[in-house]
Amino acid sequence: MLRNRLVKVLFLLILLLGVPAVYAQETVVYRNAVNLTDPAEKIEALHKFIKNYPESNYVVGAKYYLFYSYMELGKVDSALIYAGEYTNAYPEDSRIEPYNDIASVLAEKKAGLDTANIYSAKAVEMARSRKIRGLSEVLDTRASILNLLGNPDSALALENEAITGNETNPDFLSHLAIFQFGSGKKIDAIKTAARAILMGNTDDALSNFNNWITEVKPEKRESNTLRESIVKNVLNDYLKTTSNENTNAVKSTAAVFLANTLVNLDVAGKYAKEALNSLNNNSLLDDKILFTKNYSIVLSAENKEKEAIKELTSIEMLVDPWDTDFWYTLGKAYEKTGNKKKAEDAFFAGVIAYPAPKLMNALKSLSKGKTLDNRAIQKRVESEKEKLADFEPGHYKVPSSFKGKIVLAELFTGAECPPCAGADYAYDALSKYYPRNILAILEYHVHIPSPDPMTNPQTFQRYMYYGGNFGTPTAFIEGTEKIVGGGPKFLMPNRFHVYQYAVNKFLNQKPLAELTGAARLINDEVKIKVQVNAVSSLDKNVTLHIALAEKSINYPGGNGVNKHIFVVRALAGGADGLPLNFINNTEKTEQAINVNEVEKGLTEYLNDPTKDPSWRKN
């Protein structure tokens, strides 16, 4: 849980020049191979990598990518060969995740189901014997395979077990509904599908809900009665169980549920408008995006397309590129108003990060009369990715109304974390866009999802300071605005605009204190003198945080990021900082950080990081 006093943190940032790390050529070759988008080219590059670097630690990963690439080409026999080599590369008692990963892909592709059946059965057996936390995911995969093999009753039994602890997970709910329907429990299936829609699955669950309603009650009048009854009951249960939660978020969710199921649109409009009107300058970015998007979906359901477009375009630069509902609603709104060019652009924007079937089908439907197949779509997507990856942020123009506030932007990241690339590059863009007397940037490396040599015990302590239990990348702006998520490099512009919005929200605030001082490297010590002058009333618990960071480190991480900026190496006073005791609204402090001691501590830590709490078994 975030600490309330984070809004009162004062930060002093000390920078050291970075020292280039050893450049591992095999890392670059491997990274370039897996980043290829054409499956045939990727296969050729991976075979060449394995031949040239047979002892590399990346060989196991290369075999997984060979499996997946062959599956994309429809060459199932070749794919299964590498599936076997990939799983066999792990010790026999460590194959739960590899077995499940392979089985899940085979289930998704509906191919190689005999192998998928064997792997998923082994994964479930091992997961049960060890009582792992990820048992639900393994059971879910197994259930999907059994259903594909024509055994919905067994699939339903497993999914009923898997759903425990995942009662609000839209994908688990959607799968449960499918297995219920296959087992003849059709009304239960429709109810479960409605719950899945409420929780956010507007693809399979919504399609199944509409189809099953008609199948169970073919007469239109009876079908509508059943639809309204189920939607009303599911919504009432939701409102009861969320009575203590954020009222506006609950109303917004309820509104979009009614809009998607086309039930009681008057109430949907009322709820959505109330949530939208609750927004102000201090609202969280996530709420602004969610409430605006959901209100637009309701407007679209009411056939108010022009109003929907106005609302959607107001957050277009901020919304997640993989938010299928947003891009589908925007594209359909443009299409209904006769603007097919903008409709196509919206659908394309939605498939750049992830080719969601709903958007792919919308694109193909829109292109009647011209050729727009998967290859043509992919060609344009790749062109768009190249443009996005070359994004230049420009430079911030300091307004005359600027009050001297320096905003703190922190990022928790990892060199082996693929989605961290977009966030890392976006932070690079922030450092170019804002001058240092406007924005202070700090990056903390943690062992998520894999070991990272730029991690140290104090960066993990800072991670725990924010409550821990969150993934990477996660950004904190001014200690209060938490922004989760990243993506590949081509998503850098989106992440930049999201971070920029949050930073600008705080820039117009009047600073609570003024910091003056100096930091000098004398022999092996960084001598720091700081004076803090309170310019307004400060809480007694205010703390001063001093970070020692390397301005730039060259290290070729597995996620493709070679340059890492403002990497935190030490925190004076630890993650909790240094308490301040003001006398006449002024506090002075002197600190010294021995660079050799810091380097020695990092070396000792990296020699065996498993001894420290920051280490996580992966």
Side-chain angles (χ1 to χ4, degrees):
M1 180 179 294
L2 291 178
R3 303 184 182 188
N4 292 331
R5 65 190 178 88
L6 290 181
V7 297
K8 300 182 277 291
V9 163
L10 310 175
F11 234 104
L12 178 66
L13 174 63
I14 313 299
L15 301 178
L16 297 178
L17 294 177
V19 179
V22 176
Y23 200 79
Q25 183 64 28
E26 69 181 60
T27 300
V28 178
V29 175
Y30 174 72
R31 185 191 72 214
N32 290 340
V34 300
N35 285 339
L36 291 170
T37 56
D38 183 85
E41 292 179 2
K42 184 180 291 188
I43 287 169
E44 182 181 356
L46 289 169
H47 278 303
K48 186 175 180 180
F49 172 81
I50 292 173
K51 180 180 178 181
N52 292 336
Y53 302 97
E55 303 301 321
S56 171
N57 291 331
Y58 293 118
V59 166
V60 177
K63 290 181 177 179
Y64 175 82
Y65 282 110
L66 281 170
F67 154 73
Y68 195 87
S69 298
Y70 276 120
M71 286 298 299
E72 286 188 300
L73 291 178
K75 297 183 178 181
V76 179
D77 290 341
S78 296
L80 293 179
I81 290 172
Y82 286 99
E85 292 189 12
Y86 167 68
T87 55
N88 289 334
Y90 287 82
E92 191 169 355
D93 60 350
S94 301
R95 295 179 185 172
I96 298 175
E97 188 172 340
Y99 280 147
N100 190 63
D101 287 346
I102 297 296
S104 179
V105 172
L106 293 173
E108 179 186 348
K109 301 292 185 181
K110 297 181 175 62
L113 294 181
D114 289 341
T115 299
N117 188 31
I118 294 170
Y119 282 176
S120 66
K122 289 181 177 179
V124 169
E125 181 183 359
M126 296 172 68
R128 285 194 188 283
S129 66
R130 298 189 184 182
K131 300 179 180 178
I132 66 167
R133 286 194 302 174
L135 176 61
S136 292
E137 285 75 14
V138 178
L139 292 174
D140 180 63
T141 300
R142 178 73 178 144
S144 296
I145 292 165
L146 288 173
N147 187 62
L148 290 170
L149 290 172
N151 196 343
D153 291 340
S154 296
L156 178 57
L158 284 177
E159 199 67 25
N160 277 326
E161 183 181 353
I163 202 74
T164 302
N166 298 289
E167 292 84 359
T168 60
N169 185 303
D171 294 329
F172 277 86
L173 288 168
S174 181
H175 294 167
L176 178 63
I178 291 170
F179 307 149
Q180 286 173 329
F181 198 84
S183 297
K185 303 178 185 298
K186 295 185 177 182
I187 298 299
D188 287 343
I190 296 171
K191 293 177 180 178
T192 303
R195 287 165 53 207
I197 297 166
L198 178 61
M199 292 299 113
N201 188 318
T202 56
D203 294 323
D204 295 339
L206 182 56
S207 177
N208 288 335
F209 175 81
N210 289 326
N211 292 336
W212 294 342
I213 285 277
T214 303
E215 181 175 333
V216 172
K217 294 287 186 180
E219 294 182 19
K220 186 175 182 181
R221 179 179 57 80
E222 292 181 346
S223 176
N224 287 340
T225 301
L226 179 63
R227 173 189 295 269
E228 292 171 5
S229 173
I230 288 176
V231 168
K232 180 180 178 180
N233 289 335
V234 168
L235 182 57
N236 285 341
D237 287 343
Y238 170 71
L239 294 176
K240 288 177 183 176
T241 58
T242 57
S243 58
N244 295 324
E245 297 182 15
N246 182 324
T247 302
N248 292 309
V250 169
K251 286 181 178 179
S252 184
T253 300
V256 79
F257 173 57
L258 293 171
N260 281 323
T261 54
L262 297 176
V263 172
N264 211 338
L265 293 183
D266 289 341
V267 174
K270 177 176 177 290
Y271 282 169
K273 189 69 174 178
E274 287 177 1
L276 188 69
N277 288 341
S278 72
L279 296 172
N280 55 53
N281 291 335
N282 295 320
S283 296
L284 293 176
L285 176 60
D286 285 347
D287 286 345
K288 175 181 175 62
I289 293 172
L290 180 66
F291 297 173
T292 305
K293 181 187 77 171
N294 287 352
Y295 178 57
S296 304
I297 292 174
V298 174
L299 289 173
S300 185
E302 295 174 327
N303 297 316
K304 299 176 181 178
E305 308 300 343
K306 290 184 179 179
E307 294 179 49
I309 290 171
K310 181 180 178 181
E311 294 293 338
L312 290 167
T313 52
S314 72
I315 58 171
E316 188 172 358
M317 301 293 284
L318 305 175
V319 74
D320 288 341
W322 48 87
D323 190 332
T324 302
D325 287 344
F326 174 88
W327 299 108
Y328 183 81
T329 305
L330 180 59
K332 280 296 181 181
Y334 277 130
E335 185 178 356
K336 290 178 181 177
T337 56
N339 195 331
K340 289 192 174 183
K341 174 62 172 64
K342 286 195 173 181
E344 185 176 284
D345 289 344
F347 293 142
F348 262 115
V351 300
I352 288 175
Y354 168 65
K358 180 192 277 190
L359 293 173
M360 293 290 282
N361 291 334
L363 270 173
K364 294 172 184 177
S365 175
L366 186 67
S367 66
K368 289 177 180 177
K370 66 177 182 178
T371 302
L372 192 63
D373 56 12
N374 287 348
R375 185 176 293 274
I377 293 173
Q378 185 61 31
K379 184 177 180 180
R380 176 171 170 180
V381 165
E382 292 306 317
S383 175
E384 294 294 332
K385 286 181 179 179
E386 290 179 6
K387 293 177 184 177
L388 292 170
D390 289 333
F391 170 75
E392 287 294 332
H395 297 284
Y396 179 74
K397 294 181 180 179
V398 182
S400 57
S401 59
F402 179 60
K403 299 179 176 64
K405 171 90 171 176
I406 299 178
V407 176
L408 174 64
E410 300 170 275
L411 177 66
F412 290 89
T413 184
E416 300 299 320
C417 160
C420 290
D424 285 359
Y425 284 115
Y427 260 60
D428 289 350
L430 288 176
S431 73
K432 296 176 183 177
Y433 183 75
Y434 293 102
R436 291 284 71 75
N437 64 340
I438 295 288
L439 183 68
I441 291 174
L442 293 173
E443 294 189 5
Y444 308 97
H445 284 250
V446 287
H447 296 305
I448 302 175
S450 301
D452 186 326
M454 287 170 283
T455 302
N456 64 71
Q458 290 197 323
T459 60
F460 181 73
Q461 290 168 17
R462 186 68 176 171
Y463 173 80
M464 296 305 298
Y465 184 83
Y466 278 109
N469 295 321
F470 55 86
T472 54
T474 296
F476 288 90
I477 310 299
E478 279 295 284
T480 57
E481 187 86 43
K482 181 180 180 181
I483 302 172
V484 179
K489 183 179 180 180
F490 63 80
L491 294 185
M492 163 184 47
N494 169 263
R495 294 292 87 188
F496 170 81
H497 289 303
V498 168
Y499 299 147
Q500 178 193 41
Y501 177 89
V503 169
N504 288 346
K505 188 170 75 172
F506 292 101
L507 274 179
N508 291 326
Q509 295 180 357
K510 184 178 179 180
L512 299 178
E514 294 178 350
L515 273 70
T516 57
R520 295 180 180 179
L521 180 62
I522 301 175
N523 296 323
D524 297 325
E525 282 194 326
V526 178
K527 301 284 189 179
I528 305 159
K529 292 183 178 181
V530 184
Q531 179 170 314
V532 183
N533 298 317
V535 296
S536 62
S537 178
L538 284 177
D539 189 279
K540 293 181 180 179
N541 293 324
V542 70
T543 52
L544 173 67
H545 292 238
I546 300 175
L548 180 71
E550 282 194 75
K551 185 177 182 181
S552 177
I553 297 177
N554 293 323
Y555 172 79
N559 62 4
V561 178
N562 294 328
K563 180 183 177 183
H564 309 269
I565 62 171
F566 307 117
V567 179
V568 173
R569 294 307 206 177
L571 296 169
D576 289 329
L578 302 164
L580 295 177
N581 299 305
F582 287 97
I583 299 176
N584 296 325
N585 290 328
T586 298
E587 167 76 351
K588 295 181 180 179
T589 184
E590 294 186 13
Q591 299 290 320
I593 301 177
N594 188 292
V595 178
N596 285 340
E597 289 298 319
V598 171
E599 185 175 352
K600 180 181 177 182
L602 292 173
T603 301
E604 290 176 352
Y605 168 73
L606 292 174
N607 281 338
D608 188 2
T610 62
K611 294 180 179 179
D612 192 270
S614 64
W615 181 261
R616 293 179 167 201
K617 293 181 179 179
N618 296 285

